[in-house]
Amino acid sequence: MTTIVSPRPEALDTSASTDNYLTFTKGFRSWALTLDHKRIGVMYMGAVLASFLVGGIFALLLRTELLTPGKTIVSADMYNQFFTLHGAIMVFLVIIPSIPAALGNFVLPIMLGAKDVAFPRLNLFSFYLWIGGAMFTLYSLAAGGFDTGWTFYTPYSTTTTTGGVIPVLTGVFILGFSSIFTGLNFIVTVHKLRPPGMTWFRMPLFLWALYATAIIQVLATPVLAITLCLLIVERLLNIGIFNPSMGGDPVLYQHFFWFYSHPAVYIMIVPAMGIISEIISVHSHRQIFGYRFIAFSSIAIAMFSFIVWGHHMFVSGQSGLMNTIFSLISFSVAIPSAVKTFNWTMTLYKGTISLTAPMMYGLSFLFLFTIGGLTGIHLATLNTDVHLHDTYFVVAHFHYVMMGSALIGMIGGLHHWWPKMTGRMYNEKTAIIASIIIFVGFNITFFTQFMLGSQGMPRRYYDYQPEFQIYHVISTIGSYIMAFGFFLCASCFVQSLLGGKKAPVNPWGGRSLEWQCSSPPPHDNFSSPPKVGNCYDFSMLRWDEKEQGYVVDKELEAKSIAAEARGHS
Amino acid sequence: MLSTLISILITNASAQAAPPVATPADFWLPIGASVQAANIDLMFNIINYICYFFFVVVVAMMVWFVVKYRAKPGTRIRTDGMTHHTVLELSWSVIPLIICIVIFFFGFTGYVDLITPPKNSFDVNVTSFKWGWQFKYPNGAQSDNLVVPSGRPVKLIMRSNDVLHCCFIPAFRVKKDIVPGRYSTLWFQCDIPTGLEEKNGYHLFCTEYCGTGHSNMNRKVLVLPQAEFDQWLGKQAQWLDEIPDEELYFKAGPKIYARCQQCHSTDGTVGLGPSWQGLWTRLTTPGAARFTDGKSYADIIGVGKEYATPEDYIRDSIYNPGKHLVAPYGNVMPTFKGQLNDRAVDSVIGMIQHIEEFDAKGAWTKTLPPTAAKTETKSEMK
């Protein structure tokens, strides 16, 4: 499998100093038909960031509309389309592929010590499926848009007169397969392509997280595909599956939908947790605290994710018994989340902490995820959920988890691996300022929404009671601040691409394998088989002023090996 | 907020003695006016305090460690931190687990109370549709706002005519989805009367997204003392019957039009359904307006055709809205069968006939004596 690589130009010098995956071959075709996981990862990243911009613009339009009750800039129908698009783009085109497909594709094989993923052609195919899905989503706008909400609840979605429903369902169906293939690829890669010495418990925690995510992607996404097919069939051929006027059951749809979409929440958050494990450990140069607990908690979350979907339906009319069971199981997710949070915090203890830009995002994550996770308790508890269900409290809660955690994790990961991906450093000061602006803007935007929701403001409302206006105004101002932060962050990256300092091999002091190959890595990742050690043992690292990065100190390395040998004997 | 907690506990203890008062709105929660609210608010606040505690612990540790162990690059990397601590890790798995189980249990018992209506409840039938509500009482009375007696459990038996809706009354802390094709129920008891003034009522929202008018699908809950309520109920049942036939279109018409105005304008504004402005003229002019199947009004209205008179056509359009669709409108109107009786339909037809007497909001703009109105009706019928 690993033999499938692009033909190597004859005359090229293969020494590590000149070989670089970005310049290895040239021309549009060399990128469009590449089988290199790194290039596919970079293309995914570009596509995901472009979608993020589009989804973000819709978010700003929504927030602007909500500045005043009634009409501010657009009509009710337009507003409904905007929030639907914002949700669908952010979920299906941005967050789900952002970490596994974009960062994961780039990082996973290198971290593992492999030359590529197990099925490079499938990997490229999944990228083109993503493009296809995105095209259908775009086409749906031309076909009349869609105003169903990203959840496509029946019978509204099968009866609405907007013309883009079937195209977008087709788009999401295709995106689902893109996600399944990426997951499949990662599972096989982790099982089959680990080099000698890379045992399961030597894998960096990001790989554990990607592995857990891949399991969910492969097992849950087909259910979404089937559900969307049924929805298309119902809308197109008038076969009553979900619409009661044709003998169907709308609550059945909700079960099917959340059977995928709840695990999908973990497709989004688990890989971000993996990134945070890396960031916090690497930037505090300290052995991750409780490696096994974190590794197993990723797997535990993946497993629990399949049996808690009913908590989205506490007021849908499903039986009280089912609500009770789902409430109880939902609480179980709190335990692995709490374990991770405490372990990350303890990792900081007695560390050697560098407050770099990735670390700022790591700490932001810890802060925001704590709020997002804790407010989940209000929603898992049956009687308080009845009041909070479908209000802005839920909106705030899942933005803290989806955006404050998953996306912040992704952005943090991008800062962390940016020097490796591009071979260039960015202006660290600007990046840190941007991260603070995003953090402040985020909290202003979404913390207000907790109050808005618990005070009784329903979600997906175009018009609202005047007493809620003050919260909406604050929230909108926060969103503008956040947008400014993201633009600053983007400008930082652009500046880095245009004239950033050359990145050293190991700018942060990481010990996992990607910090052993050059920045950017060579086409084959490793010229010689990498030395696999404890990826969280930072004791042998030393800051090198000339290199402007960390290097392995031979003396300290010998000491560390001796210490390990003593430990084993 | 602690004072709120204490006051809730005190109110609970002395519920028999003192007259019931609503719990005032605080930083988190709105005014609480149902018997169920206190219990839910207590739970909400307890969870809040647990959250504050853990949040402070995590953030304080994080900030403290970052400040204490921050180091410039070049500092010798410390190696004295522990790699794991099984007892510590087990304790922060088990303690949250125990807390979660306790919260679950009280949430569960509270929920059982919340979904089990007492036997002696007063039942109100609720019909939801795009985009409005109709409340029907045991004596046949109907209303647009939900009017209920105080001091007595009220059970809503809800159904939907089209898509999913959801009934949410924040002040009562109750919510339930309304699923087409099945009944769902919701109960509450409010002991604090509001009177019939809309501005004093409690909000009732639709919280399941249902399209264009979703955010305007809200009404008020008005609570009356039992005696006052009975009086209102008796009057409400007969309101249509008490209006003389010739005054029906301008007295009853605008009230019923409140349910139609989301889609049908009176001034020609384009909506989700045809405007009522000029509708009567179109109906009686051959060749005007077409249906989606290509037919015109003249093809179906007239002696020996599907509808003998335009009145018959309007009546059937209200009861079977999907039968003939005027181009370019979609099939979005719910049926009003069982909601509007003959007199109500007559009021609507009358209003459509005299649409130029109404302003853009559907209010009658004339103040003619009944006799004059009658003559005008005749002259217009032609």
Side-chain angles (χ1 to χ4, degrees):
Chain A
M1 281 168 279
T2 48
T3 54
I4 308 168
V5 289
S6 318
R8 181 181 286 272
E10 305 277 327
L12 202 88
D13 181 1
T14 51
S15 76
S17 59
T18 52
D19 179 11
N20 150 0
Y21 82 98
L22 291 168
T23 54
F24 180 66
T25 48
K26 291 210 164 60
F28 176 76
R29 277 171 57 93
S30 80
W31 278 83
L33 299 177
T34 184
L35 299 178
D36 181 357
H37 69 97
K38 299 184 284 302
R39 287 191 169 188
I40 295 171
V42 168
M43 291 195 293
Y44 257 123
M45 184 52 85
V48 163
L49 289 178
S51 310
F52 180 53
L53 176 68
V54 176
I57 288 171
F58 281 120
L60 290 175
L61 287 171
L62 290 175
R63 283 309 331 159
T64 307
E65 170 54 47
L66 289 170
L67 269 174
T68 61
K71 184 176 167 165
T72 312
I73 49 167
V74 292
S75 69
D77 285 322
M78 217 45 172
Y79 174 84
N80 292 344
Q81 295 217 8
F82 282 0
F83 80 68
T84 304
L85 274 167
H86 166 70
I89 290 176
M90 287 301 197
V91 169
F92 296 114
L93 288 173
V94 180
I95 308 181
I96 288 178
S98 70
I99 299 178
L103 282 174
N105 245 321
F106 184 89
V107 175
L108 178 130
I110 317 184
M111 245 186 177
L112 199 64
K115 285 187 170 178
D116 207 313
V117 290
F119 308 116
R121 281 179 206 283
L122 189 66
N123 200 16
L124 184 66
F125 182 48
S126 89
F127 175 70
Y128 282 109
L129 281 179
W130 187 95
I131 297 283
M135 287 298 149
F136 266 101
T137 311
L138 266 183
Y139 168 68
S140 74
L141 295 184
F146 54 106
D147 66 342
T148 57
W150 78 277
T151 47
F152 305 114
Y153 266 20
T154 55
Y156 189 79
S157 59
T158 48
T159 53
T160 176
T161 49
T162 47
V165 178
I166 290 178
V168 74
L169 290 175
T170 316
V172 174
F173 179 86
I174 296 171
L175 288 169
F177 277 95
S178 164
S179 178
I180 293 172
F181 290 155
T182 303
L184 192 71
N185 225 332
F186 286 2
I187 291 179
V188 179
T189 309
V190 168
H191 271 276
K192 290 292 173 194
L193 297 189
R194 276 176 292 127
M198 179 60 87
T199 60
W200 282 92
F201 289 105
R202 272 188 171 172
M203 286 199 320
L205 287 166
F206 183 45
L207 297 188
W208 274 97
L210 283 177
Y211 181 77
T213 310
I215 293 174
I216 314 177
Q217 284 176 306
V218 169
L219 293 182
T221 318
V223 179
L224 177 73
I226 295 163
T227 312
L228 297 178
C229 269
L230 291 175
L231 209 53
I232 293 173
V233 164
E234 170 157 331
R235 206 178 148 89
L236 213 57
L237 309 174
N238 281 325
I239 295 172
I241 300 158
F242 303 126
N243 190 345
S245 66
M246 296 186 281
D249 182 357
V251 179
L252 178 70
Y253 173 81
Q254 297 175 28
H255 279 291
F256 282 177
F257 182 80
W258 290 113
F259 187 83
Y260 163 75
S261 291
H262 193 77
V265 169
Y266 297 97
I267 294 178
M268 305 183 222
I269 188 70
V270 170
M273 291 169 160
I275 290 181
I276 296 311
S277 302
E278 295 305 314
I279 289 183
I280 292 202
S281 169
V282 168
H283 295 264
S284 46
H285 306 100
R286 183 183 172 313
Q287 171 94 26
I288 188 92
F289 185 86
Y291 174 95
R292 280 179 191 241
F293 265 73
I294 297 186
F296 284 124
S297 67
S298 286
I299 303 292
I301 290 178
M303 295 296 125
F304 283 136
S305 75
F306 283 98
I307 46 175
V308 297
W309 79 89
H311 68 218
H312 293 269
M313 301 165 62
F314 281 166
V315 300
S316 73
Q318 72 180 355
S319 76
L321 177 66
M322 268 166 87
N323 283 340
T324 307
I325 294 168
F326 278 121
S327 167
L328 182 62
I329 307 173
S330 297
F331 275 106
S332 66
V333 181
I335 313 308
S337 308
V339 167
K340 277 175 186 278
T341 309
F342 284 119
N343 281 13
W344 289 325
T345 316
M346 274 310 281
T347 303
L348 299 169
Y349 177 63
K350 290 193 176 172
T352 313
I353 298 171
S354 310
L355 274 185
T356 54
M359 189 60 167
M360 292 304 289
Y361 285 101
L363 298 175
S364 293
F365 177 101
L366 207 50
F367 184 98
L368 301 174
F369 178 69
T370 305
I371 296 178
L374 285 170
T375 48
I377 302 178
H378 297 84
L379 299 172
T381 308
L382 280 168
N383 64 347
T384 49
D385 179 73
V386 169
H387 176 61
L388 301 170
H389 204 97
D390 271 330
T391 67
Y392 264 76
F393 193 92
V394 178
V395 176
H397 163 72
F398 74 70
H399 276 91
Y400 264 85
V401 179
M402 301 288 78
M403 184 174 186
S405 311
L407 250 167
I408 291 291
M410 193 282 263
I411 302 283
L414 187 58
H415 281 82
H416 185 65
W417 285 297
W418 180 267
K420 192 56 65 184
M421 291 173 96
T422 62
R424 301 209 175 254
M425 298 302 289
Y426 43 83
N427 184 334
E428 183 98 31
K429 267 214 181 84
T430 321
I432 288 173
I433 292 168
S435 78
I436 293 169
I437 295 173
I438 292 171
F439 175 79
V440 171
F442 180 90
N443 281 299
I444 296 175
T445 309
F446 292 110
F447 199 83
T448 348
Q449 296 186 4
F450 281 121
M451 276 93 87
L452 203 49
S454 63
Q455 293 284 350
M457 164 95 197
R459 64 191 286 204
R460 294 173 168 179
Y461 258 34
Y462 166 73
D463 192 7
Y464 53 84
Q465 304 298 319
E467 67 252 36
F468 296 128
Q469 190 176 1
I470 179 70
Y471 298 104
H472 277 298
V473 171
I474 295 172
S475 181
T476 302
I477 292 170
S479 73
Y480 295 156
I481 297 175
M482 192 163 41
F484 174 70
F486 276 116
F487 279 113
L488 192 63
C489 170
S491 75
C492 199
F493 283 145
V494 171
Q495 199 192 18
S496 158
L497 285 179
L498 295 179
K501 267 194 312 185
K502 199 183 165 332
V505 168
N506 192 355
W508 316 121
R511 284 278 290 130
S512 43
L513 298 179
E514 79 271 28
W515 305 112
Q516 289 185 18
C517 57
S518 54
S519 309
H523 177 74
D524 291 337
N525 295 348
F526 301 99
S527 39
S528 55
K531 257 194 285 180
V532 180
N534 178 352
C535 64
Y536 294 112
D537 178 8
F538 300 91
S539 60
M540 61 194 67
L541 290 176
R542 169 172 67 77
W543 172 259
D544 188 301
E545 202 56 45
K546 204 176 96 213
E547 172 85 348
Q548 281 294 302
Y550 288 82
V551 291
V552 172
D553 190 301
K554 291 279 176 262
E555 213 174 292
L556 291 173
E557 192 183 22
K559 244 196 220 166
S560 156
I561 289 169
E564 202 166 310
R566 264 204 310 281
H568 280 296
S569 59
Chain B
M1 215 174 299
L2 197 63
S3 61
T4 330
L5 265 181
I6 294 165
S7 71
I8 289 166
L9 291 173
I10 294 170
T11 348
N12 274 358
S14 56
Q16 267 79 19
V21 280
T23 49
D26 63 19
F27 183 75
W28 289 110
L29 291 162
I31 179 172
S34 71
V35 293
Q36 295 112 311
N39 194 4
I40 292 170
D41 293 359
L42 182 68
M43 193 73 205
F44 182 89
N45 286 316
I46 289 173
I47 297 174
N48 261 2
Y49 282 107
I50 293 171
C51 291
Y52 297 153
F53 173 77
F54 281 104
F55 175 72
V56 168
V57 166
V58 170
V59 173
M61 274 176 19
M62 178 176 105
V63 172
W64 178 38
F65 293 158
V66 169
V67 169
K68 185 154 184 216
Y69 299 110
R70 195 179 163 194
K72 288 252 173 305
T75 317
R76 185 71 186 272
I77 287 167
R78 293 177 72 126
T79 52
D80 57 339
M82 51 191 166
T83 59
H84 65 280
H85 192 293
T86 309
V87 176
L88 208 54
E89 287 176 80
L90 277 178
S91 68
W92 64 52
S93 313
V94 174
I95 294 171
L97 181 68
I98 294 168
I99 295 174
C100 280
I101 289 173
V102 172
I103 297 176
F104 159 76
F105 179 77
F106 286 106
F108 160 67
T109 51
Y111 175 71
V112 171
D113 294 342
L114 203 58
I115 58 165
T116 316
K119 288 241 155 37
N120 62 340
S121 63
F122 176 78
D123 294 358
V124 179
N125 266 297
V126 179
T127 308
S128 58
F129 49 88
K130 289 195 280 194
W131 291 278
W133 301 87
Q134 196 199 26
F135 304 98
K136 219 179 204 174
Y137 303 84
N139 70 345
Q142 300 178 8
S143 67
D144 282 341
N145 283 318
L146 174 60
V147 183
V148 295
S150 70
R152 164 167 194 200
V154 174
K155 185 166 88 179
L156 306 182
I157 300 155
M158 307 184 289
R159 62 187 170 140
S160 163
N161 278 357
D162 36 51
V163 296
L164 295 172
H165 297 285
C166 182
C167 177
F168 176 35
I169 309 169
F172 298 170
R173 315 282 191 263
V174 291
K175 181 182 289 136
K176 189 70 178 249
D177 276 10
I178 307 167
V179 182
R182 49 168 99 165
Y183 289 99
S184 51
T185 58
L186 176 84
W187 85 274
F188 56 82
Q189 178 179 337
C190 175
D191 295 343
I192 304 130
T194 62
L196 275 173
E197 284 274 354
E198 259 195 37
K199 67 173 170 38
N200 296 332
Y202 305 113
H203 292 302
L204 181 150
F205 294 125
C206 172
T207 46
E208 191 64 79
Y209 171 67
C210 57
T212 314
H214 172 52
S215 64
N216 295 116
M217 197 172 147
N218 43 50
R219 295 286 183 271
K220 286 292 170 72
V221 184
L222 305 167
V223 186
L224 301 178
Q226 186 72 50
E228 241 176 89
F229 177 77
D230 290 338
Q231 204 184 358
W232 174 87
L233 200 58
K235 231 175 101 193
Q236 188 70 10
Q238 294 141 17
W239 76 278
L240 262 176
D241 300 331
E242 282 171 356
I243 301 171
D245 283 358
E246 64 274 18
E247 293 175 15
L248 210 49
Y249 81 89
F250 61 85
K251 281 197 170 159
K255 284 192 180 172
I256 296 165
Y257 175 69
R259 286 184 219 163
C260 317
Q261 66 177 357
Q262 293 258 10
C263 305
H264 300 281
S265 73
T266 56
D267 60 352
T269 310
V270 179
L272 284 174
S275 174
W276 287 1
Q277 192 191 49
L279 175 60
W280 190 256
T281 329
R282 292 201 295 277
L283 284 176
T284 45
T285 314
R290 319 110 314 263
F291 293 104
T292 44
D293 56 8
K295 288 181 182 165
S296 72
Y297 284 133
D299 294 330
I300 56 168
I301 304 170
V303 182
K305 296 179 186 154
E306 191 175 348
Y307 303 105
T309 61
E311 285 90 337
D312 284 325
Y313 165 73
I314 295 178
R315 183 189 158 88
D316 199 39
S317 299
I318 293 170
Y319 286 160
N320 301 303
K323 208 162 168 188
H324 297 286
L325 293 174
V326 176
Y329 301 97
N331 185 9
V332 291
M333 178 166 158
T335 176
F336 285 83
K337 212 181 262 178
Q339 294 182 49
L340 299 181
N341 61 17
D342 287 344
R343 280 185 79 76
V345 169
D346 285 349
S347 324
V348 171
I349 294 173
M351 190 170 164
I352 291 173
Q353 285 170 342
H354 301 89
I355 198 68
E356 64 283 356
E357 293 174 29
F358 296 86
D359 67 13
K361 289 191 168 158
W364 195 52
T365 51
K366 296 203 169 173
T367 43
L368 294 173
T371 43
K374 216 167 175 180
T375 24
E376 199 174 84
T377 311
K378 271 189 186 147
S379 69
E380 243 178 50
M381 288 286 280
K382 285 190 257 212

mmCIF file of all heavy atoms in Angstrom, chain B residues 40-54:
data_model
loop_
_atom_site.group_PDB
_atom_site.id
_atom_site.type_symbol
_atom_site.label_atom_id
_atom_site.label_comp_id
_atom_site.label_asym_id
_atom_site.label_seq_id
_atom_site.Cartn_x
_atom_site.Cartn_y
_atom_site.Cartn_z
ATOM 1 N N ILE B 40 -37.914 23.589 40.012
ATOM 2 C CA ILE B 40 -36.977 23.625 38.882
ATOM 3 C C ILE B 40 -35.908 24.695 39.116
ATOM 4 O O ILE B 40 -34.727 24.474 38.875
ATOM 5 C CB ILE B 40 -37.740 23.868 37.567
ATOM 6 C CG1 ILE B 40 -38.595 22.643 37.259
ATOM 7 C CG2 ILE B 40 -36.790 24.162 36.422
ATOM 8 C CD1 ILE B 40 -39.571 22.838 36.146
ATOM 9 N N ASP B 41 -36.338 25.848 39.641
ATOM 10 C CA ASP B 41 -35.369 26.915 39.905
ATOM 11 C C ASP B 41 -34.350 26.491 40.946
ATOM 12 O O ASP B 41 -33.159 26.789 40.824
ATOM 13 C CB ASP B 41 -36.100 28.181 40.382
ATOM 14 C CG ASP B 41 -36.953 28.765 39.276
ATOM 15 O OD1 ASP B 41 -36.941 28.198 38.176
ATOM 16 O OD2 ASP B 41 -37.625 29.779 39.518
ATOM 17 N N LEU B 42 -34.829 25.779 41.957
ATOM 18 C CA LEU B 42 -33.917 25.300 43.004
ATOM 19 C C LEU B 42 -32.860 24.398 42.369
ATOM 20 O O LEU B 42 -31.662 24.548 42.604
ATOM 21 C CB LEU B 42 -34.719 24.559 44.072
ATOM 22 C CG LEU B 42 -33.913 24.031 45.250
ATOM 23 C CD1 LEU B 42 -33.385 25.193 46.071
ATOM 24 C CD2 LEU B 42 -34.763 23.123 46.126
ATOM 25 N N MET B 43 -33.340 23.479 41.542
ATOM 26 C CA MET B 43 -32.430 22.545 40.860
ATOM 27 C C MET B 43 -31.432 23.315 39.993
ATOM 28 O O MET B 43 -30.227 23.055 40.030
ATOM 29 C CB MET B 43 -33.296 21.632 39.975
ATOM 30 C CG MET B 43 -32.583 20.427 39.457
ATOM 31 S SD MET B 43 -32.352 19.243 40.787
ATOM 32 C CE MET B 43 -30.930 18.414 40.135
ATOM 33 N N PHE B 44 -31.957 24.269 39.235
ATOM 34 C CA PHE B 44 -31.115 25.060 38.342
ATOM 35 C C PHE B 44 -30.024 25.770 39.150
ATOM 36 O O PHE B 44 -28.852 25.771 38.781
ATOM 37 C CB PHE B 44 -31.980 26.081 37.596
ATOM 38 C CG PHE B 44 -31.236 26.922 36.600
ATOM 39 C CD1 PHE B 44 -31.088 26.504 35.288
ATOM 40 C CD2 PHE B 44 -30.688 28.145 36.975
ATOM 41 C CE1 PHE B 44 -30.403 27.279 34.360
ATOM 42 C CE2 PHE B 44 -29.992 28.919 36.054
ATOM 43 C CZ PHE B 44 -29.852 28.490 34.748
ATOM 44 N N ASN B 45 -30.423 26.351 40.280
ATOM 45 C CA ASN B 45 -29.452 27.101 41.074
ATOM 46 C C ASN B 45 -28.426 26.196 41.738
ATOM 47 O O ASN B 45 -27.250 26.550 41.826
ATOM 48 C CB ASN B 45 -30.179 27.961 42.108
ATOM 49 C CG ASN B 45 -30.840 29.159 41.443
ATOM 50 O OD1 ASN B 45 -30.244 29.808 40.607
ATOM 51 N ND2 ASN B 45 -32.096 29.426 41.780
ATOM 52 N N ILE B 46 -28.874 25.016 42.188
ATOM 53 C CA ILE B 46 -27.915 24.084 42.792
ATOM 54 C C ILE B 46 -26.869 23.676 41.755
ATOM 55 O O ILE B 46 -25.665 23.691 42.011
ATOM 56 C CB ILE B 46 -28.642 22.853 43.361
ATOM 57 C CG1 ILE B 46 -29.441 23.252 44.604
ATOM 58 C CG2 ILE B 46 -27.646 21.747 43.715
ATOM 59 C CD1 ILE B 46 -30.329 22.165 45.147
ATOM 60 N N ILE B 47 -27.345 23.327 40.549
ATOM 61 C CA ILE B 47 -26.403 22.956 39.486
ATOM 62 C C ILE B 47 -25.458 24.124 39.202
ATOM 63 O O ILE B 47 -24.254 23.943 39.029
ATOM 64 C CB ILE B 47 -27.148 22.526 38.205
ATOM 65 C CG1 ILE B 47 -27.983 21.292 38.471
ATOM 66 C CG2 ILE B 47 -26.164 22.252 37.068
ATOM 67 C CD1 ILE B 47 -28.869 20.878 37.317
ATOM 68 N N ASN B 48 -26.016 25.331 39.175
ATOM 69 C CA ASN B 48 -25.176 26.510 38.962
ATOM 70 C C ASN B 48 -24.037 26.573 39.972
ATOM 71 O O ASN B 48 -22.895 26.806 39.606
ATOM 72 C CB ASN B 48 -26.013 27.782 39.091
ATOM 73 C CG ASN B 48 -26.406 28.317 37.729
ATOM 74 O OD1 ASN B 48 -26.077 27.717 36.709
ATOM 75 N ND2 ASN B 48 -27.110 29.422 37.716
ATOM 76 N N TYR B 49 -24.362 26.376 41.257
ATOM 77 C CA TYR B 49 -23.311 26.473 42.279
ATOM 78 C C TYR B 49 -22.263 25.396 42.090
ATOM 79 O O TYR B 49 -21.060 25.645 42.273
ATOM 80 C CB TYR B 49 -23.921 26.444 43.683
ATOM 81 C CG TYR B 49 -24.522 27.780 44.037
ATOM 82 C CD1 TYR B 49 -25.893 27.971 44.075
ATOM 83 C CD2 TYR B 49 -23.695 28.888 44.256
ATOM 84 C CE1 TYR B 49 -26.438 29.217 44.343
ATOM 85 C CE2 TYR B 49 -24.231 30.136 44.523
ATOM 86 C CZ TYR B 49 -25.593 30.297 44.560
ATOM 87 O OH TYR B 49 -26.121 31.534 44.808
ATOM 88 N N ILE B 50 -22.697 24.188 41.719
ATOM 89 C CA ILE B 50 -21.725 23.123 41.454
ATOM 90 C C ILE B 50 -20.805 23.541 40.304
ATOM 91 O O ILE B 50 -19.590 23.368 40.353
ATOM 92 C CB ILE B 50 -22.463 21.807 41.135
ATOM 93 C CG1 ILE B 50 -23.197 21.312 42.380
ATOM 94 C CG2 ILE B 50 -21.489 20.744 40.627
ATOM 95 C CD1 ILE B 50 -24.124 20.155 42.143
ATOM 96 N N CYS B 51 -21.434 24.145 39.264
ATOM 97 C CA CYS B 51 -20.636 24.601 38.115
ATOM 98 C C CYS B 51 -19.649 25.686 38.516
ATOM 99 O O CYS B 51 -18.486 25.653 38.119
ATOM 100 C CB CYS B 51 -21.541 25.124 37.011
ATOM 101 S SG CYS B 51 -22.496 23.844 36.222
ATOM 102 N N TYR B 52 -20.134 26.663 39.304
ATOM 103 C CA TYR B 52 -19.227 27.732 39.749
ATOM 104 C C TYR B 52 -18.024 27.115 40.447
ATOM 105 O O TYR B 52 -16.884 27.492 40.197
ATOM 106 C CB TYR B 52 -19.914 28.693 40.735
ATOM 107 C CG TYR B 52 -21.081 29.470 40.184
ATOM 108 C CD1 TYR B 52 -22.101 29.921 41.022
ATOM 109 C CD2 TYR B 52 -21.171 29.772 38.836
ATOM 110 C CE1 TYR B 52 -23.182 30.637 40.539
ATOM 111 C CE2 TYR B 52 -22.241 30.488 38.335
ATOM 112 C CZ TYR B 52 -23.241 30.916 39.186
ATOM 113 O OH TYR B 52 -24.310 31.621 38.700
ATOM 114 N N PHE B 53 -18.301 26.149 41.328
ATOM 115 C CA PHE B 53 -17.233 25.551 42.109
ATOM 116 C C PHE B 53 -16.171 24.921 41.202
ATOM 117 O O PHE B 53 -14.994 25.248 41.276
ATOM 118 C CB PHE B 53 -17.800 24.516 43.088
ATOM 119 C CG PHE B 53 -16.735 23.735 43.806
ATOM 120 C CD1 PHE B 53 -16.029 24.306 44.861
ATOM 121 C CD2 PHE B 53 -16.416 22.443 43.404
ATOM 122 C CE1 PHE B 53 -15.034 23.597 45.501
ATOM 123 C CE2 PHE B 53 -15.417 21.724 44.045
ATOM 124 C CZ PHE B 53 -14.725 22.311 45.102
ATOM 125 N N PHE B 54 -16.619 24.035 40.309
ATOM 126 C CA PHE B 54 -15.641 23.339 39.470
ATOM 127 C C PHE B 54 -14.940 24.301 38.507
ATOM 128 O O PHE B 54 -13.753 24.161 38.224
ATOM 129 C CB PHE B 54 -16.303 22.186 38.703
ATOM 130 C CG PHE B 54 -16.505 20.981 39.559
ATOM 131 C CD1 PHE B 54 -17.753 20.649 40.057
ATOM 132 C CD2 PHE B 54 -15.420 20.170 39.905
ATOM 133 C CE1 PHE B 54 -17.928 19.542 40.864
ATOM 134 C CE2 PHE B 54 -15.583 19.064 40.706
ATOM 135 C CZ PHE B 54 -16.844 18.749 41.188
#
